Amino acid sequence: MGSGQWMVEKRSSFSSDSFSKEYETVPETGCLSIIVLGASGDLAKKKTFPALYNLYRRGFLQSNEVYIFGYARTKISDDDLRNRIRGYFGKDASEHSEDVSKFLQLIKYVSGSYDTEDGFRLLDKEISEHEVSKNSAEGSSRRLFYLALPPSVYPPVCRMIRKCCMNRSDLGGWTRIVIEKPFGKDLESAEKLSAQIGELFEEPQLYRIDHYLGKELVQNLLVLRFANRFFLPLWNRDNIDNVQIVFREDFGTEGRGGYFDEYGIIRDIIQNHLLQVLCLVAMEKPVSLKPEHIRDEKVKVLQSVLPIKDEEVVLGQYEGYRDDPTVPDHSNTPTFATVVLRIHNERWEGVPFILKAGKALNSRKAEIRVQFKDVPGDIFKCQKQGRNEFVIRLQPSEAMYMKLTVKQPGLEMSTVQSELDLSYKQRYQGVAIPEAYERLILDTIRGDQQHFVRRDELKAAWEIFTPLLHRIDDGEMKPLQYQPGSRGPVKADELLAKAGYVQTHGYIWIPPTL
């Protein structure tokens, strides 16, 4: 492969990788520098660097074109950083020790503060020297800055990048900024942050990353909805009774109590991850797959959501949460929430969208559960067994299955619930499902903003939840205590029933085994 081209391999979904279908050549351009700010922190070593390593190992990042810079305040050497991240490349990294070694040699570390020019001038000098060594014409190089940092330092860091580290873009090069959530704590703070960063960078340069949008089955939603004829006439208020989008963890805050208490489960999970999934479930068909057309439809959904009613919210806090020494004794922060959203448009009028998330529950999973209405004129008297449901399991054990009623084998005419099942591990044996961060970083390099949050989309999301969050922050709404390892507060199940969800009794989906 020539140095003037960056060849991206796209493989079919039945091969050893599942990124795409064919070979694509990215137009000739200069070398690529990826700068990880906050390189010595947990997010960088657990998510960002492993994602970059996997992209390198799979051939999506070429060693003759890419170089990676770590930047943080910690005073360590290049080898110190390499040794810190080496152990996070996955259990099969030992089988690819040569790839690991080659990748680590692509990393250089620069130490400096986040709010003064000295460190960023040094960083720019190192990047420029690398670009010169690769014979990149000035203005043709690409610089990707990944902010694996707390949001409080985004404005000063972005100012320093703008002042000291920009690449001229008149010859096809670019500078792009990846920003991690949380994007503010409410509408006012989010708008303030957007304004501060928006003064420095244009919207096409900003990539607000929500890793849920990179998950394989979330990416599958548009294909399922708009490429399959039998879903098109069913996906509306005439057939669907309710939709649940659920995130459950079977552990508590585990040492992150102080950080979590500042945000709570709604800001941490529901306002971003689950709301993004809701957009893809509820949106209308875009006119094309262009990123802006898809994001336009997501914004329309958010703008159609009615104000949240207090009686359609249940908050919880698991017993023992306040025992964490970093959590205030009288904390009002919910570790569990069930919130019913109502979409006021022709397709979804009257259909409750139930967003539920919690920590220290009885299981770990994330799933979308679309429950259909009862069969009219039920001649088999089987409604008590449960309704038809279409379930998309996002994690773990990625799968999708349709719960349906079938005849019990035997001489009697009796019915039972079963499923039509697509389990990814069984159907796609040997296929490596990429981590969400891998896909999203690759999208950033390609300039594809489809799976990133646009500024007006962020504003619309905060407009939905800010009034509720302020009532919680002011102590007007109190979380109910629940036992760790339970389903959460009993009132949450009562709210589900009130919203119309009918729980299936006696049926459990069991992931297929190979």
Side-chain angles (χ1 to χ4, degrees):
M1 182 172 61
S3 60
Q5 292 181 326
W6 185 55
M7 187 73 81
V8 178
E9 185 177 354
K10 290 188 171 183
R11 303 175 177 89
S12 77
S13 58
F14 293 98
S15 71
S16 62
D17 205 310
S18 59
F19 270 118
S20 18
K21 294 181 180 176
E22 57 197 26
Y23 285 91
E24 177 187 88
T25 304
V26 175
E28 183 173 321
T29 189
C31 64
L32 171 66
S33 297
I34 299 175
I35 303 96
V36 181
L37 297 112
S40 59
D42 273 4
L43 176 64
K45 68 184 181 184
K46 292 178 180 178
K47 296 294 184 183
T48 315
F49 283 116
L52 293 171
Y53 163 70
N54 284 325
L55 288 173
Y56 168 79
R57 188 170 66 83
R58 294 177 181 179
F60 288 91
L61 296 178
Q62 297 294 322
S63 58
N64 64 331
E65 291 188 353
V66 69
Y67 205 69
I68 300 166
F69 297 86
Y71 183 91
R73 289 179 297 213
T74 311
K75 294 188 182 302
I76 55 175
S77 66
D78 295 350
D79 286 338
D80 288 336
L81 177 61
R82 292 164 184 161
N83 291 332
R84 284 189 181 198
I85 64 177
R86 185 190 296 269
Y88 292 92
F89 291 166
K91 55 189 176 184
D92 62 342
S94 58
E95 301 170 17
H96 304 278
S97 57
E98 188 176 344
D99 286 339
V100 170
S101 297
K102 288 180 179 178
F103 172 77
L104 290 174
Q105 292 307 308
L106 298 176
I107 297 174
K108 182 171 185 59
Y109 182 75
V110 178
S111 174
S113 70
Y114 295 129
D115 55 0
T116 59
E117 293 185 25
D118 292 348
F120 284 89
R121 294 287 181 200
L122 177 59
L123 176 62
D124 180 65
K125 178 174 175 287
E126 296 286 356
I127 299 171
S128 298
E129 286 178 358
H130 164 65
E131 292 169 349
V132 169
S133 73
K134 294 297 182 182
N135 298 318
S136 281
E138 185 180 6
S140 70
S141 298
R142 299 163 290 164
R143 296 185 178 186
L144 173 60
F145 291 86
Y146 193 112
L147 274 57
L149 294 164
S152 58
V153 298
Y154 289 170
V157 166
C158 286
R159 281 194 295 272
M160 291 299 106
I161 293 172
R162 183 73 199 181
K163 191 169 186 178
C164 307
C165 300
M166 292 294 288
N167 180 52
R168 286 171 50 207
S169 59
D170 55 346
L171 293 176
W174 45 251
T175 302
R176 291 175 186 157
I177 314 294
V178 179
I179 303 172
E180 277 278 352
K181 79 169 186 73
F183 316 119
K185 292 186 67 176
D186 56 13
L187 178 60
E188 182 182 0
S189 60
E191 280 290 276
K192 181 180 178 182
L193 185 61
S194 291
Q196 289 174 324
I197 298 175
E199 290 174 355
L200 303 166
F201 300 102
E202 300 293 328
E203 187 66 24
Q205 294 177 291
L206 296 172
Y207 290 73
R208 299 175 189 86
I209 193 168
D210 185 328
H211 74 272
Y212 252 60
L213 291 176
K215 288 186 176 295
E216 182 66 31
L217 270 77
V218 174
Q219 298 244 321
N220 208 347
L221 275 170
L222 295 189
V223 179
L224 282 170
R225 287 196 52 202
F226 301 126
N228 293 290
R229 184 67 179 88
F230 58 80
F231 278 130
L232 292 174
L234 296 178
W235 212 260
N236 54 49
R237 61 190 172 90
D238 297 329
N239 300 287
I240 292 174
D241 186 89
N242 60 80
V243 178
Q244 272 194 78
I245 304 172
V246 179
F247 174 92
R248 306 165 67 91
E249 287 183 334
D250 55 4
F251 53 88
T253 53
E254 295 192 343
R256 294 176 66 245
Y259 167 82
F260 181 86
D261 197 74
E262 191 179 344
Y263 292 95
I265 197 72
I266 295 176
R267 289 183 175 97
D268 197 39
I269 301 295
I270 295 179
Q271 183 273 340
N272 38 72
H273 299 330
L274 301 195
L275 195 60
Q276 285 293 316
V277 174
L278 178 146
C279 288
L280 297 175
V281 172
M283 64 185 271
E284 297 297 322
K285 182 189 287 186
V287 296
S288 79
L289 289 176
K290 290 181 179 178
E292 292 313 308
H293 290 157
I294 292 172
R295 300 205 291 182
D296 287 345
E297 295 302 332
K298 289 168 65 184
V299 172
K300 289 177 187 176
V301 171
L302 295 174
Q303 291 173 338
S304 300
V305 174
L306 295 171
I308 299 169
K309 297 178 180 178
D310 287 357
E311 60 268 26
E312 294 195 314
V313 177
V314 172
L315 306 175
Q317 187 185 90
Y318 67 84
E319 294 181 10
Y321 169 71
R322 298 180 196 171
D323 294 343
D324 185 324
T326 62
V327 173
D329 292 339
H330 302 289
S331 171
N332 197 51
T333 300
T335 61
F336 173 98
T338 297
V339 181
V340 179
L341 298 186
R342 308 270 179 179
I343 300 174
H344 182 54
N345 65 18
E346 183 179 3
R347 181 181 294 271
W348 297 115
E349 188 74 45
V351 178
F353 281 75
I354 304 159
L355 307 188
K356 182 167 68 173
K359 291 182 172 291
L361 298 176
N362 59 350
S363 63
R364 174 183 171 265
K365 66 179 178 180
E367 66 183 16
I368 305 161
R369 189 172 291 268
V370 179
Q371 186 170 87
F372 291 87
K373 293 186 174 183
D374 291 325
V375 174
D378 177 24
I379 60 175
F380 292 102
K381 304 291 188 293
C382 58
Q383 287 185 359
K384 64 180 183 298
Q385 291 174 342
R387 291 169 165 171
N388 294 147
E389 290 184 10
F390 179 50
V391 182
I392 302 172
R393 191 179 178 100
L394 307 178
Q395 68 180 35
S397 304
E398 292 91 345
M400 59 185 78
Y401 58 96
M402 176 72 83
K403 285 170 56 177
L404 70 169
T405 302
V406 297
K407 178 185 174 297
Q408 177 87 40
L411 297 175
E412 300 293 329
M413 177 52 76
S414 58
T415 59
V416 66
Q417 278 223 322
S418 188
E419 72 277 326
L420 297 175
D421 195 332
L422 169 59
S423 177
Y424 271 54
K425 285 185 179 177
Q426 186 179 54
R427 180 67 181 87
Y428 303 115
Q429 296 181 33
V431 173
I433 295 179
E435 285 290 328
Y437 280 92
E438 297 171 39
R439 189 188 310 275
L440 295 177
I441 290 173
L442 189 58
D443 282 348
T444 308
I445 296 168
R446 291 170 170 168
D448 185 345
Q449 290 189 304
Q450 174 182 332
H451 304 115
F452 296 84
V453 182
R454 201 167 64 189
R455 181 173 176 175
D456 58 341
E457 186 181 347
L458 178 64
K459 180 182 179 184
W462 278 119
E463 285 175 340
I464 294 169
F465 280 98
T466 292
L468 171 63
L469 289 166
H470 283 178
R471 290 197 292 276
I472 297 170
D473 293 343
D474 294 340
E476 296 175 22
M477 299 183 71
K478 302 286 187 183
L480 304 170
Q481 294 288 300
Y482 64 94
Q483 285 286 336
S486 68
R487 284 177 52 84
V490 174
K491 284 200 171 181
D493 285 336
E494 294 173 0
L495 175 60
L496 258 62
K498 187 178 176 182
Y501 177 70
V502 176
Q503 191 170 354
T504 303
H505 296 285
Y507 166 88
I508 298 175
W509 177 73
I510 301 173
T513 54
L514 299 178

